[in-house]
Amino acid sequence: MQVLLPIREATPPGAPSRPSWRAFTEMGFRPLYLLGCAWALVSVLLWIHAPGLLRGDLGGVFWHGHEMLWAFVGTIAVGFLLTAGGNWTGHNPLRGNALAALCALWLVARVWYLVPGRPAFWVATAADLAFFLWAAAALGRSVWRSRNKRNYGVPLMLLALALTHLVYALGVVRGDYPGLMRGLNAGLLSMAVLTLLIARRIIPFFAGRAVAGLTIPPHTRSGHLQIAAGVIAIAMLLAGMNTLAALALAASGAIAIVQWVAWKPWAVRRVPLLWILYAGYLGLGVGLLVGAAHLAGAVAWGAWHVHTIGVAGFSVLIIGMVTRTALGHLGRPLRTDKSMVVSYVLMLMAALLRLAALWPQAPAVPLLHASATAWVLALGLYLWRFTPWMIRPRA
């Protein structure tokens, strides 16, 4: 019998759509936010509770430092830039199978660093290098095609992450500890410059839209000075001129603190999506000042600047960024629920406990375990809340 009028039941309002590979690989933030945050959770569990599994040539604290900076922080940055690049230029840098292939490179690196033997180490190193180079090329192509001069320098910062990763890896192979630390510190500063560049644009923009009557000065000139100081600090550090690097780093950190005060932090105290970003930016500014003191020889504990920049700065900013930007691009209301706010508080606790564990005479092991627990819970809450949204079409 011929069907004249097929009848389809409408989807009930508010019913979730089905998971979709096409939606999942539509924009860079979807797979890379989930991969970066999931690996940050797993890698800390491995580092604290199962270090015996870290049998690759990149092992122990060197593996931990590399994976936190390049595999977590750097990956989230790539996810953000591949997404924001589409807004800046009108051209989506990577999507579909090409984006999936980029993620496959990332996964190859994570697995092969855990495999014993020098060949496995080189496979992982090459995969990470290709990951950052490919992301930089894709973003650079979109920026160039649109003649988006304001963002010409952004792909170069991804190239800097690739270069510092390679310097770090070569330091591991050669047993060159000073060279390895030079790569780590230069990678930290490259990521810091990129973070400052992004944060200076988006935090005032987000705050002005969310808080009625809040006006924030642009600080354009001081912002340019801040970025220039950061780039100089990286160049001086790679050249071994630590004193000049410390001065440039102190200038960049001081400007960040002045900007933070001018952004009127008290005005955003009732908006969790904003105060978490403000907290992370403050942590980054303080971390740059601690890094300057370390390079100048005024701070003896080398891990202080790494964890102040990396945990109190990058990680606190990340838990806010992966929430706020994902909500916006997923077409969901820019409001936090209880799980999101709890994840913010837990990440702040993880940062404070991690720094407390570095204090001389402090009970380091209990504080370290408490920090790791807060860290895992914070990222676990994020993944639990956002994974179902990330794998489905935009609301």
Side-chain angles (χ1 to χ4, degrees), residues 246-324:
L247 291 173
L249 201 57
S252 187
I255 292 172
I257 300 299
V258 171
Q259 287 176 337
W260 182 82
V261 173
W263 288 349
K264 305 172 185 176
W266 184 251
V268 305
R269 67 192 183 280
R270 300 184 189 278
V271 186
L273 283 174
L274 290 176
W275 61 246
I276 189 65
L277 297 177
Y278 273 66
Y281 194 80
L282 176 62
L284 179 57
V286 172
L288 293 175
L289 293 177
V290 174
H294 170 70
L295 287 174
V299 176
W301 310 302
W304 267 92
H305 75 287
V306 173
H307 289 92
T308 307
I309 294 174
V311 186
F314 294 153
S315 300
V316 172
L317 274 168
I318 281 173
I319 197 67
M321 284 295 301
V322 296
T323 303
R324 197 324 181 156

Side-chain angles (χ1 to χ4, degrees), residues 222-243:
S222 67
H224 291 163
L225 291 174
Q226 182 185 46
I227 301 303
V231 171
I232 290 170
I234 296 169
M236 294 299 101
L237 184 64
L238 290 173
M241 301 178 181
N242 286 359
T243 302

Side-chain angles (χ1 to χ4, degrees), residues 23 26-27 29-30 33 322-334 382 385-395:
E26 180 184 28
M27 301 185 81
F29 80 96
R30 287 177 178 262
Y33 280 10
V322 296
T323 303
R324 197 324 181 156
T325 57
L327 286 174
H329 285 288
L330 292 169
R332 298 190 174 271
L334 297 176
Y382 175 79
R385 194 71 183 94
F386 278 82
T387 300
W389 294 341
M390 295 287 210
I391 62 176
R392 289 175 166 83
R394 176 183 169 92

